[in-house]
Amino acid sequence: MADASRSPLHQPLLHESGLRHTSGEARYVDDLPAPHGLLVAQVVPSPLAHGKLRSLDVSAALKVPGVVAVLSAKDVPALNDVGAVVHDEELFAFDTVRFLGQALALVVGASYEACRAGVKAVKVDVEPLPAIVTLDDAIAKGSFLSKDHRLTRGDPAAALAKAPVRFQGEVRTGAQDHFYLETQCTLAVPDEGPSLRLYSSTQHPSEVQAIVAHVLGWGRHQIAVEVPRMGGGFGGKETQAAPYAAMASLAAVKTGRPVKVWLNRDQDMLWTGKRHPFLTRFDVGFTKDGQLLALEAELFSDGGFSMDLSRAILERALFHIDNGYFIPDVRVTGHVAKTNLPSNTAFRGFGGPQGMAVIEDIMSRAAERLGLDPVELRRKNLYGAAPRDVTPYWQEVRDCRLERIFGELLASSDYERRAKAVATFNAAHQHAKRGLALTPVKFGISFTTSFLNQAGALVIVYSDGTVQVNHGGTEMGQGLHTKMLAVCAHELGVLPERVRVMTTATDKVPNTSATAASSGSDLNGFAVKQAAETIRERLRPVAARLLDVTPDDVRFGGGLVSSVARPDRKLPFEKVTHEAYLAQVSLSATGYYRTPDIHFDRATGRGKPFHYFAYGAAVTEVEVSGLTGEHRLRRVDILHDVGASLVPSIDLGQIEGAFVQGWGWLTCEEVRVDDKGFLRTHSPDTYKVPACGDVPLDFRVSLLANAAQDTTIHGSKAVGEPPFMLALSVVAALRQAVGAFGKGGEVPLTMPCTPEALLFAIERTRAG
Ligand code: MTE
Ligand code: HPA
Ligand code: MOS
């Protein structure tokens, strides 16, 4: 066994790259030393959102000094497609252009200046076709990528007909740019064979490898993809690194030289997909005292021009329409609209936030209409004991922790006293109003595409006792490598300083899933654990011989191998590894894990798609100015369930960051596309992301205590996405503050709650 008392697990740890991040030494793909003969590239973008590509004349571009090659659809040797799930996404547009900015060609040259001059010299003739650039227009015209996804339980039509309180409405949520600090980037280096090594900023190296193989008509064994680290991904690099990696690869093979494709900020914002905007129409029934009876909802998402991950994202929205609430009778239907916009994609929460925003808006509206305390209304609808424990997809909610979290958080946030203080403040102030709200989060953990829930690892111990860990996950700042380091150090009983997590590479750990669905540490953690255990158990007999004890008396911990019965007998770990090497014992091992017992049947809408649920809740206090519509987060209290945290310092950072990113989506980030399909908000001067000055003035984040989870890695729970949705408490609090400007009734506030939207809502509320 490993010695738990000396384990780095469940202790605060510095992020494994924290010092390098802050000193600037951390290398991202674009920072790698330029290989000999490096070429760079620029994309030739479509000038229109929709049209027939009549001609593409690159001859003048080829004459520009410094331009080495210009590649388009006809230069693709095998498959001109980079679709992740279905083949509906051309690498280069061939005869039709489908969004403004779609790649028509790639100019490759010695410098960005030469490439840009080359792009200008390309002559493009596109015959305009009618374009659909809004979700509403797509719905009106019946333009869809995927239709009629459905979950049903009970008889909602009958239950609605009988409901004492029934109302209908619409909820809209907006797009969101990922705004990762590092934009899309891949460096492709050709080698003999032929073969390629890619350095890519991707959450999904195995998919990049597979797509590049398709485009080139190669076997995957000819391609290795390496991910040093990402400067953020947030879902935006789950599928959308692949097109640029494919362009770099194609150019590297054509020119025989290393090629880097990197997007600048404006290009990245203009051409890559965002969080899906959603429109939902609902019909809901309650009792007079606020018990939820039935819900029918129809969800529409804007998928953009191609499928990408839209189907799974829509599905996760349907899976999260309940959030933490039991809905006795329910039917939810969903459709993915097709527009002439970049293909929308994964973004933290993966549709979950869009689904949960609907039910939280419904809960707020019900409280406003019925004149009930919104906390009590929410609380009485939480999942509980049978029969109130079944989701709309028929998975049982065992071990719902929301009632416990509500109780602890209401007490620790001093909710009751502060609610009174807010009422007093509001009575005394005409031009400023406060709101105080609590909302829960329940988020399903697992890829809903069940087979993706697998991971591998390769652990290497050198004879000097130092360790390299390879696993299938990628590091994007979320701290996965730090957690894997702690898991490995724990199993081998070595000090964390003696362990190094290597860059992710498809030739170390193959056939990996994306690092996504918050499952990176759940899946890779077990794989690393298994590999490290295998090596430790090989070392055990060697150590027993050296210590002259029985093998089951040997304990590994704190860099030492010792006897449990005779603690004076101990050896440094490196003594044991050295002896094991001399004794011809293998010091490397792989590990593998798949999540047991999850399944979902799309045809019937039933199953157990999630291994477990992550829970949390936030109490948020806001103050809104009735003069400017601006607001401040006065205080935010979060209690979040990460099980027995693998590394609490990392988890706290994830929760804080996710909340602030969610606040950005819901309040200040507004994506505006004009009637030509051109993104007007394509740089930070027009697109406002949260800054340090926006974080809550008083921010209190706690991890739920005594919360170890069964059947997860060391009792921990996934943390990456769930706390994003805690930001829905801001909207609930803003609705209260806006309501306080008027005399009651439903508050007409829409998301994102920008100052403009708030002012508009305040005016309407004041007018009654
Ligand atoms: N945290 C940072 N700092 N940067 C990121 O890009 N991505 C989020 C989350 N936290 C992200 C992040 C998303 S969308 C996911 S799915 C998870 O991290 C992925 O990592 P994990 O599975 O290791 O939690
Ligand atoms: N989450 C994130 N990414 C995914 C999922 C999911 O549920 N399914 C497929 N890709
Ligand atoms: Mo996260 S949206 O699953 O990459």
Side-chain angles (χ1 to χ4, degrees):
M1 101 219 60
D3 181 354
S5 68
R6 301 184 188 210
S7 166
L9 281 177
H10 312 303
Q11 311 289 334
L13 259 185
L14 201 61
H15 188 289
E16 131 286 342
S17 287
L19 294 176
R20 289 188 283 273
H21 288 153
T22 43
S23 68
E25 286 170 282
R27 280 185 184 178
Y28 301 84
V29 173
D30 194 44
D31 303 324
L32 297 175
H36 181 71
L38 177 69
L39 298 172
V40 293
Q42 285 284 296
V43 170
V44 180
S46 161
L48 295 178
H50 194 200
K52 272 228 96 48
L53 181 56
R54 275 198 295 232
S55 74
L56 180 74
D57 178 1
V58 305
S59 51
L62 282 167
K63 297 197 185 100
V64 171
V67 169
V68 175
V70 183
L71 305 170
S72 62
K74 62 179 185 357
D75 299 298
V76 176
L79 191 64
N80 181 33
D81 195 282
V82 291
V85 181
V86 290
H87 287 322
D88 66 347
E89 198 175 321
E90 287 167 332
L91 175 61
F92 296 114
F94 182 59
D95 57 11
T96 308
V97 300
R98 294 187 166 81
F99 73 92
L100 200 155
Q102 185 176 7
L104 307 180
L106 186 76
V107 177
V108 186
S111 69
Y112 287 111
E113 290 69 25
C115 293
R116 277 195 288 266
V119 169
K120 282 205 186 108
V122 172
K123 290 190 194 71
V124 178
D125 182 8
V126 180
E127 175 188 333
L129 291 170
I132 296 177
V133 297
T134 66
L135 178 54
D136 291 76
D137 195 24
I139 297 168
K141 297 200 166 93
S143 170
F144 291 101
L145 287 163
S146 179
K147 277 208 71 154
D148 297 319
H149 301 264
R150 186 166 279 140
L151 301 176
T152 315
R153 219 194 55 251
D155 186 350
L160 283 170
K162 285 191 305 215
V165 178
R166 178 178 181 179
F167 60 95
Q168 294 81 28
E170 232 180 60
V171 178
R172 285 173 192 270
T173 50
Q176 183 179 24
D177 189 273
H178 298 84
F179 221 90
Y180 25 60
L181 289 178
E182 178 205 24
T183 51
Q184 303 281 358
C185 188
T186 293
L187 165 65
V189 183
D191 204 344
E192 62 188 46
S195 66
L196 274 176
R197 180 163 280 269
L198 270 53
Y199 302 86
S200 184
S201 182
T202 174
Q203 291 172 242
H204 202 343
S206 287
E207 188 169 273
V208 165
Q209 178 191 26
I211 286 173
V212 169
H214 283 146
V215 168
L216 297 176
W218 287 9
R220 291 186 198 176
H221 66 311
Q222 291 172 274
I223 300 153
V225 180
E226 198 170 319
V227 183
R229 60 162 59 72
M230 280 163 276
F234 304 112
K237 296 170 182 169
E238 183 171 342
T239 58
Q240 301 214 352
Y244 306 103
M247 288 178 201
S249 301
L250 180 63
V253 170
K254 291 279 170 183
T255 62
R257 292 167 67 173
V259 177
K260 180 158 68 187
V261 173
W262 168 80
L263 303 189
N264 67 31
R265 178 65 58 187
D266 293 73
Q267 294 169 336
D268 192 296
M269 293 183 80
L270 283 163
W271 302 338
T272 67
K274 320 220 174 300
R275 180 184 295 285
H276 292 66
F278 270 63
L279 162 64
T280 300
R281 300 188 179 123
F282 69 83
D283 189 348
V284 70
F286 283 89
T287 63
K288 286 207 171 64
D289 59 357
Q291 194 79 49
L292 183 53
L293 293 174
L295 173 69
E296 281 192 338
E298 192 168 28
L299 283 67
F300 297 90
S301 74
D302 180 350
F305 83 101
S306 74
M307 184 62 91
D308 190 272
L309 296 168
S310 295
R311 216 154 31 197
I313 290 164
L314 180 88
E315 216 166 54
R316 190 173 273 272
L318 298 181
F319 284 142
H320 286 81
I321 196 85
D322 58 339
N323 190 10
Y325 310 112
F326 173 63
I327 316 175
D329 291 273
V330 55
R331 175 161 61 243
V332 284
T333 316
H335 319 283
V336 182
K338 181 179 180 179
T339 56
N340 295 108
L341 294 171
S343 197
N344 287 321
T345 194
F347 196 142
R348 207 169 196 170
F350 204 76
Q354 291 95 319
M356 285 157 66
V358 173
I359 195 72
E360 288 305 334
D361 233 51
I362 288 174
M363 289 296 175
S364 289
R365 292 189 204 189
E368 289 154 13
R369 282 169 172 261
L370 297 168
L372 296 173
D373 173 4
V375 170
E376 277 319 304
L377 184 141
R378 285 185 164 91
R379 195 171 193 174
K380 72 165 57 161
N381 283 297
L382 296 177
Y383 279 104
R388 299 181 50 81
D389 63 348
V390 196
T391 63
Y393 43 95
W394 299 74
Q395 174 163 353
E396 277 173 34
V397 184
R398 298 201 198 98
D399 186 26
C400 181
R401 294 172 168 178
L402 286 172
E403 178 54 40
R404 182 185 156 200
I405 290 173
F406 266 50
E408 290 184 22
L409 185 61
L410 286 169
S412 65
S413 66
D414 197 11
Y415 178 85
E416 261 179 53
R417 188 192 58 77
R418 289 170 57 211
K420 289 197 191 95
V422 165
T424 310
F425 178 91
N426 288 346
H429 292 80
Q430 194 188 346
H431 296 298
K433 303 284 183 190
R434 293 181 180 169
L436 180 70
L438 185 164
T439 61
V441 163
K442 164 180 140 286
F443 191 78
I445 301 300
S446 289
F447 285 98
T448 55
T449 307
S450 300
F451 75 85
L452 294 174
N453 296 286
Q454 55 174 312
L458 166 66
V459 172
I460 296 168
V461 176
Y462 291 92
S463 58
D464 69 350
T466 60
V467 183
Q468 289 181 340
V469 183
N470 301 272
H471 62 84
T474 55
E475 175 64 36
M476 56 195 100
Q478 85 278 38
L480 174 60
H481 281 359
T482 311
K483 291 182 173 180
M484 297 304 95
L485 192 155
V487 167
C488 184
H490 170 86
E491 289 314 327
L492 293 173
V494 300
L495 299 174
E497 310 82 271
R498 305 277 281 173
V499 183
R500 182 169 163 222
V501 183
M502 306 305 288
T503 61
T504 312
T506 57
D507 52 352
K508 292 280 186 59
V509 179
N511 306 312
T512 51
S513 292
T515 306
S518 303
S519 62
S521 46
D522 284 25
L523 301 174
N524 294 287
F526 272 119
V528 168
K529 180 174 193 287
Q530 190 189 70
E533 276 172 344
T534 301
I535 298 173
R536 189 190 66 213
E537 294 312 307
R538 288 187 201 141
L539 293 173
R540 182 179 300 282
V542 178
R545 221 163 34 241
L546 291 170
L547 293 166
D548 193 20
V549 298
T550 59
D552 55 5
D553 184 38
V554 173
R555 182 165 76 169
F556 295 75
L560 298 173
V561 185
S562 54
S563 155
V564 182
R566 307 261 323 256
D568 56 309
R569 294 199 183 174
K570 55 186 173 213
L571 292 166
F573 183 73
E574 55 270 28
K575 172 75 181 155
V576 179
T577 53
H578 183 68
E579 291 298 329
Y581 169 71
L582 296 178
Q584 296 166 295
V585 173
S586 163
L587 291 175
S588 66
T590 59
Y592 179 81
Y593 175 74
R594 77 177 86 85
T595 311
D597 190 30
I598 48 174
H599 52 90
F600 179 69
D601 179 356
R602 294 205 161 81
T604 60
R606 294 189 186 202
K608 185 189 170 215
F610 303 118
H611 188 40
Y612 63 89
F613 298 98
Y615 299 101
V619 169
T620 293
E621 183 178 340
V622 297
E623 183 173 317
V624 177
S625 161
L627 302 174
T628 66
E630 289 167 300
H631 76 273
R632 281 305 317 240
L633 300 177
R634 286 177 45 79
R635 176 171 160 187
V636 174
D637 291 63
I638 289 171
L639 182 57
H640 196 78
D641 166 26
V642 292
S645 174
L646 284 178
V647 182
S649 49
I650 295 286
D651 287 350
L652 287 171
Q654 282 291 292
I655 296 167
E656 291 173 357
F659 178 88
V660 173
Q661 194 171 39
W663 175 84
W665 172 51
L666 292 165
T667 65
C668 64
E669 298 183 39
E670 189 171 28
V671 171
R672 292 256 182 140
V673 177
D674 71 15
D675 59 0
K676 303 273 188 292
F678 179 73
L679 177 71
R680 288 276 158 197
T681 48
H682 57 80
S683 84
D685 57 1
T686 44
Y687 186 74
K688 167 84 178 85
V689 294
C692 302
D694 296 314
V695 303
L697 297 168
D698 186 353
F699 201 6
R700 307 185 189 194
V701 179
S702 303
L703 306 179
L704 188 70
N706 304 319
Q709 177 81 3
D710 290 342
T711 70
T712 59
I713 181 76
H714 294 293
S716 67
K717 283 187 170 187
V719 69
E721 294 166 288
F724 181 93
M725 286 142 285
L726 295 170
L728 289 165
S729 62
V730 178
V731 180
L734 288 171
R735 293 185 70 93
Q736 279 183 27
V738 171
F741 284 98
K743 291 184 191 61
E746 191 175 310
V747 174
L749 180 62
T750 54
M751 296 173 273
C753 307
T754 57
E756 198 178 349
L758 282 160
L759 266 189
F760 190 61
I762 291 167
E763 258 175 42
R764 288 180 52 191
T765 303
R766 275 183 170 144

